Amino acid sequence: MKPKAIFNWSSGKDSALALYKILQSNDYEIVSLLTSVNKQYNRISMHGVRAELLEQQAKSIGLSLHKMEIPEMPTMEIYEEVMRNTLTDFKNNGVTHSIFGDIFLEDLRKYREEKLENIGFTGVFPLWKRDTKELIHEFLDLGFKTIVTCVNERNLDKSFVGRVIDEQFIKDLPDKVDVCGENGEFHTFTFDGPIFSKPIDFEIGEIVHRKYERPKTDDSNEVCNSVTDDTAFDYGFWYCDLIPN
């Protein structure tokens, strides 16, 4: 019998490629996608994508979806309590593994594994330590399509948000920016590819700018790393709204 697992789904490209590899391996029974959703705005945390589009993704993929609602700016304590309660419910239903699309952030993986171990879960990282340039080209070669929904203004300007990732996008990235945005430089929404039964239909809406305050203590930086996969809360972000058709 295959172990039961939840898949931590961000709606973006790394999640899509990691899920593709997990489904191809057939090593786990994926019981649900798990996505953190901003309770105030009903959008995917950091990615800024409407929950309606998230639900369309899950339907097209053919997996159930669990939306984990968290506040706009959760403390570490609040985030961990919500996550612990969520995972405990899954554990009570026989789930033992939690799958992530992380690539090379050592501190983030360590944090995840420590918290999972406390609950009795095992972390799975199918993209771990893969070269990000190889990953993005593999992603495109497989036929995936993804659009940039959020950029950190510290790394990229407004012109990058709302663009579909292609070879030209990769060429246009500054040298300091990871091509998969693994350091939180940008976030994406994947709308087509081999894991979908049909593409997700949407229109590009308004582009807006938002700023976030830096946490008051150094310890709070872990919230940035573990909750949002980003460390620059004292910088602004450009978001591109995607409107479901």
Side-chain angles (χ1 to χ4, degrees), residues 193-245:
I195 61 174
F196 297 102
S197 62
K198 65 177 182 178
I200 311 303
D201 193 17
F202 62 89
E203 295 179 3
I204 295 177
E206 185 182 8
I207 293 177
V208 299
H209 184 264
R210 296 191 66 191
K211 278 189 175 291
Y212 298 89
E213 295 179 1
R214 177 183 289 276
K216 295 181 180 180
T217 67
D218 290 339
D219 290 343
S220 296
N221 282 335
E222 195 169 22
V223 175
C224 306
N225 286 330
S226 61
V227 179
T228 68
D229 293 346
D230 199 294
T231 59
F233 268 64
D234 57 337
Y235 289 85
F237 296 82
W238 288 104
Y239 288 92
C240 176
D241 190 20
L242 304 181
I243 304 171
N245 282 329

Side-chain angles (χ1 to χ4, degrees), residues 5 28 96-100 113 116-117 119-125:
Y28 301 92
T96 56
H97 290 67
S98 185
I99 306 171
F100 301 88
E113 290 181 325
L116 289 172
E117 184 179 0
I119 305 173
F121 270 65
T122 299
V124 180
F125 302 82

Side-chain angles (χ1 to χ4, degrees), residues 148-153 156-157 160-161 185-186 236-238:
V148 177
T149 60
C150 170
V151 301
N152 185 328
E153 69 176 6
L156 296 169
D157 61 41
F160 282 90
V161 73
E185 299 98 328
F186 61 91
F237 296 82
W238 288 104

Side-chain angles (χ1 to χ4, degrees), residues 80-140:
E80 290 182 351
E81 180 182 5
V82 174
M83 178 61 78
R84 182 171 55 253
N85 292 339
T86 299
L87 292 184
T88 298
D89 288 342
F90 277 113
K91 181 181 179 181
N92 291 338
N93 286 285
V95 178
T96 56
H97 290 67
S98 185
I99 306 171
F100 301 88
D102 300 322
I103 304 172
F104 61 66
L105 297 178
E106 297 281 358
D107 289 346
L108 179 56
R109 175 167 178 166
K110 181 180 178 182
Y111 169 83
R112 295 199 198 281
E113 290 181 325
E114 288 177 351
K115 297 304 177 183
L116 289 172
E117 184 179 0
N118 291 339
I119 305 173
F121 270 65
T122 299
V124 180
F125 302 82
L127 305 184
W128 190 248
K129 291 300 184 181
R130 286 284 308 277
D131 180 87
T132 52
K133 291 182 179 178
E134 292 180 1
L135 284 176
I136 193 62
H137 286 103
E138 179 181 1
F139 177 85
L140 295 176

Side-chain angles (χ1 to χ4, degrees), residues 32-50:
S32 180
L33 303 176
L34 175 64
T35 307
S36 296
V37 174
N38 183 309
K39 186 176 182 179
Q40 181 177 352
Y41 296 104
N42 199 29
R43 292 174 182 260
I44 300 172
S45 301
M46 278 311 298
H47 291 237
V49 175
R50 299 177 187 228

